[in-house]
mmCIF file of all heavy atoms in Angstrom:
data_model
loop_
_atom_site.group_PDB
_atom_site.id
_atom_site.type_symbol
_atom_site.label_atom_id
_atom_site.label_comp_id
_atom_site.label_asym_id
_atom_site.label_seq_id
_atom_site.Cartn_x
_atom_site.Cartn_y
_atom_site.Cartn_z
ATOM 1 N N MET S 1482 118.097 117.199 112.619
ATOM 2 C CA MET S 1482 116.896 116.423 112.281
ATOM 3 C C MET S 1482 117.130 115.663 110.980
ATOM 4 O O MET S 1482 117.641 116.219 110.013
ATOM 5 C CB MET S 1482 115.684 117.344 112.119
ATOM 6 C CG MET S 1482 114.384 116.633 111.829
ATOM 7 S SD MET S 1482 113.005 117.791 111.772
ATOM 8 C CE MET S 1482 111.666 116.680 111.347
ATOM 9 N N GLU S 1483 116.827 114.366 111.000
ATOM 10 C CA GLU S 1483 117.050 113.531 109.816
ATOM 11 C C GLU S 1483 116.082 113.938 108.689
ATOM 12 O O GLU S 1483 114.932 114.225 108.932
ATOM 13 C CB GLU S 1483 116.878 112.076 110.162
ATOM 14 C CG GLU S 1483 117.967 111.570 111.107
ATOM 15 C CD GLU S 1483 117.731 110.159 111.584
ATOM 16 O OE1 GLU S 1483 116.767 109.540 111.119
ATOM 17 O OE2 GLU S 1483 118.524 109.660 112.400
ATOM 18 N N LYS S 1484 116.601 113.930 107.488
ATOM 19 C CA LYS S 1484 115.799 114.318 106.334
ATOM 20 C C LYS S 1484 114.835 113.202 105.934
ATOM 21 O O LYS S 1484 115.058 112.045 106.164
ATOM 22 C CB LYS S 1484 116.725 114.642 105.158
ATOM 23 C CG LYS S 1484 117.617 115.857 105.392
ATOM 24 C CD LYS S 1484 118.495 116.102 104.167
ATOM 25 C CE LYS S 1484 119.384 117.330 104.360
ATOM 26 N NZ LYS S 1484 120.268 117.563 103.174
ATOM 27 N N ASN S 1485 113.738 113.619 105.290
ATOM 28 C CA ASN S 1485 112.806 112.677 104.707
ATOM 29 C C ASN S 1485 113.209 112.364 103.284
ATOM 30 O O ASN S 1485 113.962 113.094 102.637
ATOM 31 C CB ASN S 1485 111.390 113.289 104.691
ATOM 32 C CG ASN S 1485 110.835 113.557 106.065
ATOM 33 O OD1 ASN S 1485 111.342 113.027 107.043
ATOM 34 N ND2 ASN S 1485 109.835 114.391 106.145
ATOM 35 N N ASN S 1486 112.665 111.246 102.765
ATOM 36 C CA ASN S 1486 112.950 110.875 101.383
ATOM 37 C C ASN S 1486 111.882 111.352 100.427
ATOM 38 O O ASN S 1486 111.738 110.814 99.311
ATOM 39 C CB ASN S 1486 113.159 109.359 101.284
ATOM 40 C CG ASN S 1486 113.747 108.958 99.917
ATOM 41 O OD1 ASN S 1486 114.604 109.663 99.380
ATOM 42 N ND2 ASN S 1486 113.294 107.840 99.377
ATOM 43 N N ASP S 1487 111.078 112.280 100.840
ATOM 44 C CA ASP S 1487 110.047 112.837 99.940
ATOM 45 C C ASP S 1487 110.685 113.270 98.636
ATOM 46 O O ASP S 1487 111.729 113.931 98.624
ATOM 47 C CB ASP S 1487 109.354 113.998 100.604
ATOM 48 C CG ASP S 1487 108.576 113.608 101.852
ATOM 49 O OD1 ASP S 1487 108.157 112.440 101.939
ATOM 50 O OD2 ASP S 1487 108.430 114.450 102.738
ATOM 51 N N GLN S 1488 110.028 112.911 97.536
ATOM 52 C CA GLN S 1488 110.479 113.198 96.153
ATOM 53 C C GLN S 1488 111.811 112.525 95.858
ATOM 54 O O GLN S 1488 112.509 112.875 94.913
ATOM 55 C CB GLN S 1488 110.623 114.699 95.916
ATOM 56 C CG GLN S 1488 109.509 115.597 96.502
ATOM 57 C CD GLN S 1488 108.113 115.127 96.158
ATOM 58 O OE1 GLN S 1488 107.216 115.077 97.018
ATOM 59 N NE2 GLN S 1488 107.890 114.759 94.915
ATOM 60 N N GLY S 1489 112.193 111.527 96.660
ATOM 61 C CA GLY S 1489 113.436 110.799 96.407
ATOM 62 C C GLY S 1489 114.690 111.516 96.793
ATOM 63 O O GLY S 1489 115.783 111.308 96.257
ATOM 64 N N ALA S 1490 114.579 112.431 97.796
ATOM 65 C CA ALA S 1490 115.716 113.266 98.188
ATOM 66 C C ALA S 1490 116.934 112.488 98.668
ATOM 67 O O ALA S 1490 118.083 112.966 98.604
ATOM 68 C CB ALA S 1490 115.256 114.248 99.274
ATOM 69 N N LEU S 1491 116.696 111.266 99.193
ATOM 70 C CA LEU S 1491 117.792 110.462 99.748
ATOM 71 C C LEU S 1491 118.180 109.288 98.858
ATOM 72 O O LEU S 1491 118.939 108.414 99.270
ATOM 73 C CB LEU S 1491 117.395 109.929 101.122
ATOM 74 C CG LEU S 1491 116.985 110.976 102.165
ATOM 75 C CD1 LEU S 1491 116.545 110.321 103.469
ATOM 76 C CD2 LEU S 1491 118.114 111.958 102.421
ATOM 77 N N GLN S 1492 117.675 109.264 97.632
ATOM 78 C CA GLN S 1492 117.905 108.135 96.731
ATOM 79 C C GLN S 1492 119.300 108.223 96.084
ATOM 80 O O GLN S 1492 119.457 108.457 94.906
ATOM 81 C CB GLN S 1492 116.829 108.063 95.675
ATOM 82 C CG GLN S 1492 115.484 107.618 96.170
ATOM 83 C CD GLN S 1492 115.447 106.193 96.710
ATOM 84 O OE1 GLN S 1492 114.685 105.916 97.633
ATOM 85 N NE2 GLN S 1492 116.232 105.308 96.128
ATOM 86 N N LEU S 1684 107.392 105.183 102.426
ATOM 87 C CA LEU S 1684 107.809 106.561 102.505
ATOM 88 C C LEU S 1684 107.093 107.280 103.618
ATOM 89 O O LEU S 1684 107.715 107.914 104.508
ATOM 90 C CB LEU S 1684 107.563 107.272 101.173
ATOM 91 C CG LEU S 1684 107.892 108.774 101.123
ATOM 92 C CD1 LEU S 1684 109.386 108.994 101.103
ATOM 93 C CD2 LEU S 1684 107.217 109.426 99.907
ATOM 94 N N GLU S 1685 105.786 107.222 103.634
ATOM 95 C CA GLU S 1685 104.986 107.942 104.624
ATOM 96 C C GLU S 1685 105.112 107.329 106.020
ATOM 97 O O GLU S 1685 105.136 108.037 107.025
ATOM 98 C CB GLU S 1685 103.511 108.034 104.192
ATOM 99 C CG GLU S 1685 102.629 108.842 105.105
ATOM 100 C CD GLU S 1685 103.005 110.305 105.169
ATOM 101 O OE1 GLU S 1685 103.819 110.797 104.346
ATOM 102 O OE2 GLU S 1685 102.491 111.000 106.061
ATOM 103 N N ASP S 1687 107.714 105.851 107.249
ATOM 104 C CA ASP S 1687 108.995 106.258 107.817
ATOM 105 C C ASP S 1687 108.898 107.702 108.339
ATOM 106 O O ASP S 1687 109.420 108.004 109.415
ATOM 107 C CB ASP S 1687 110.101 106.162 106.761
ATOM 108 C CG ASP S 1687 111.477 106.401 107.370
ATOM 109 O OD1 ASP S 1687 111.989 105.499 108.074
ATOM 110 O OD2 ASP S 1687 112.033 107.509 107.176
ATOM 111 N N ASN S 1688 108.266 108.590 107.553
ATOM 112 C CA ASN S 1688 108.131 109.950 107.984
ATOM 113 C C ASN S 1688 107.401 110.061 109.308
ATOM 114 O O ASN S 1688 107.758 110.878 110.189
ATOM 115 C CB ASN S 1688 107.376 110.775 106.939
ATOM 116 C CG ASN S 1688 108.205 111.040 105.679
ATOM 117 O OD1 ASN S 1688 109.436 110.853 105.694
ATOM 118 N ND2 ASN S 1688 107.542 111.453 104.619
ATOM 119 N N ARG S 1689 106.391 109.216 109.509
ATOM 120 C CA ARG S 1689 105.575 109.306 110.725
ATOM 121 C C ARG S 1689 106.197 108.546 111.869
ATOM 122 O O ARG S 1689 105.994 108.908 113.027
ATOM 123 C CB ARG S 1689 104.161 108.731 110.440
ATOM 124 C CG ARG S 1689 103.404 109.521 109.401
ATOM 125 C CD ARG S 1689 101.989 108.982 109.215
ATOM 126 N NE ARG S 1689 101.280 109.692 108.157
ATOM 127 C CZ ARG S 1689 99.964 109.909 108.143
ATOM 128 N NH1 ARG S 1689 99.213 109.520 109.142
ATOM 129 N NH2 ARG S 1689 99.402 110.577 107.146
ATOM 130 N N LYS S 1691 109.576 107.450 112.446
ATOM 131 C CA LYS S 1691 110.969 107.550 112.837
ATOM 132 C C LYS S 1691 111.138 108.213 114.213
ATOM 133 O O LYS S 1691 112.142 107.927 114.907
ATOM 134 C CB LYS S 1691 111.801 108.239 111.786
ATOM 135 C CG LYS S 1691 111.448 109.680 111.509
ATOM 136 C CD LYS S 1691 112.293 110.188 110.324
ATOM 137 C CE LYS S 1691 111.920 111.591 109.949
ATOM 138 N NZ LYS S 1691 112.721 112.068 108.803
ATOM 139 N N ARG S 1696 111.848 102.558 111.453
ATOM 140 C CA ARG S 1696 112.176 103.010 110.100
ATOM 141 C C ARG S 1696 111.516 102.039 109.083
ATOM 142 O O ARG S 1696 111.350 100.850 109.353
ATOM 143 C CB ARG S 1696 113.680 103.031 109.851
ATOM 144 C CG ARG S 1696 114.482 103.840 110.873
ATOM 145 C CD ARG S 1696 113.967 105.252 111.115
ATOM 146 N NE ARG S 1696 113.931 106.114 109.971
ATOM 147 C CZ ARG S 1696 114.770 107.094 109.693
ATOM 148 N NH1 ARG S 1696 115.799 107.333 110.528
ATOM 149 N NH2 ARG S 1696 114.638 107.858 108.649
ATOM 150 N N HIS S 1760 120.346 105.485 110.153
ATOM 151 C CA HIS S 1760 119.855 106.845 110.232
ATOM 152 C C HIS S 1760 119.233 107.291 108.901
ATOM 153 O O HIS S 1760 119.126 108.479 108.637
ATOM 154 C CB HIS S 1760 120.955 107.812 110.652
ATOM 155 C CG HIS S 1760 121.553 107.451 111.974
ATOM 156 N ND1 HIS S 1760 120.862 107.616 113.170
ATOM 157 C CD2 HIS S 1760 122.759 106.898 112.308
ATOM 158 C CE1 HIS S 1760 121.634 107.195 114.167
ATOM 159 N NE2 HIS S 1760 122.760 106.767 113.668
ATOM 160 N N ILE S 1761 118.811 106.324 108.069
ATOM 161 C CA ILE S 1761 118.198 106.616 106.802
ATOM 162 C C ILE S 1761 116.966 105.754 106.667
ATOM 163 O O ILE S 1761 116.991 104.547 106.953
ATOM 164 C CB ILE S 1761 119.151 106.322 105.603
ATOM 165 C CG1 ILE S 1761 120.429 107.098 105.728
ATOM 166 C CG2 ILE S 1761 118.473 106.612 104.281
ATOM 167 C CD1 ILE S 1761 121.486 106.727 104.692
ATOM 168 N N GLY S 1762 115.834 106.317 106.226
ATOM 169 C CA GLY S 1762 114.642 105.557 106.048
ATOM 170 C C GLY S 1762 113.819 106.118 104.882
ATOM 171 O O GLY S 1762 114.125 107.153 104.329
ATOM 172 N N GLY S 1763 112.755 105.396 104.549
ATOM 173 C CA GLY S 1763 111.871 105.797 103.481
ATOM 174 C C GLY S 1763 112.413 105.605 102.098
ATOM 175 O O GLY S 1763 111.797 106.002 101.123
ATOM 176 N N VAL S 1764 113.581 104.936 101.990
ATOM 177 C CA VAL S 1764 114.239 104.784 100.691
ATOM 178 C C VAL S 1764 113.850 103.473 100.032
ATOM 179 O O VAL S 1764 113.460 102.513 100.694
ATOM 180 C CB VAL S 1764 115.773 104.888 100.813
ATOM 181 C CG1 VAL S 1764 116.187 106.293 101.187
ATOM 182 C CG2 VAL S 1764 116.305 103.878 101.861
ATOM 183 N N LEU S 1797 107.511 107.981 95.130
ATOM 184 C CA LEU S 1797 108.096 108.599 96.311
ATOM 185 C C LEU S 1797 107.576 110.043 96.501
ATOM 186 O O LEU S 1797 108.247 110.897 97.055
ATOM 187 C CB LEU S 1797 109.632 108.607 96.219
ATOM 188 C CG LEU S 1797 110.292 107.236 96.154
ATOM 189 C CD1 LEU S 1797 111.798 107.385 95.906
ATOM 190 C CD2 LEU S 1797 110.039 106.433 97.438
ATOM 191 N N GLU S 1799 105.513 112.954 97.983
ATOM 192 C CA GLU S 1799 105.011 113.260 99.342
ATOM 193 C C GLU S 1799 103.497 113.405 99.374
ATOM 194 O O GLU S 1799 102.831 112.792 100.231
ATOM 195 C CB GLU S 1799 105.654 114.554 99.858
ATOM 196 C CG GLU S 1799 105.180 114.964 101.224
ATOM 197 C CD GLU S 1799 105.758 116.280 101.691
ATOM 198 O OE1 GLU S 1799 106.415 116.968 100.841
ATOM 199 O OE2 GLU S 1799 105.544 116.640 102.860
ATOM 200 N N LYS S 1803 100.704 110.833 101.308
ATOM 201 C CA LYS S 1803 99.744 111.263 102.349
ATOM 202 C C LYS S 1803 98.303 110.978 101.883
ATOM 203 O O LYS S 1803 97.474 110.542 102.690
ATOM 204 C CB LYS S 1803 99.938 112.751 102.634
ATOM 205 C CG LYS S 1803 101.211 113.068 103.422
ATOM 206 C CD LYS S 1803 101.378 114.567 103.633
ATOM 207 C CE LYS S 1803 102.462 114.840 104.682
ATOM 208 N NZ LYS S 1803 103.690 114.109 104.526
#
Side-chain angles (χ1 to χ4, degrees):
M1482 183 176 178
E1483 293 174 3
K1484 294 181 179 179
N1485 296 342
N1486 192 38
D1487 296 332
Q1488 320 308 136
L1491 304 177
Q1492 288 296 147
L1684 177 73
E1685 185 63 13
D1687 188 75
N1688 288 346
R1689 297 184 183 213
K1691 63 184 176 182
R1696 306 310 300 255
H1760 302 290
I1761 302 173
V1764 290
L1797 297 174
E1799 178 184 9
K1803 287 177 167 47

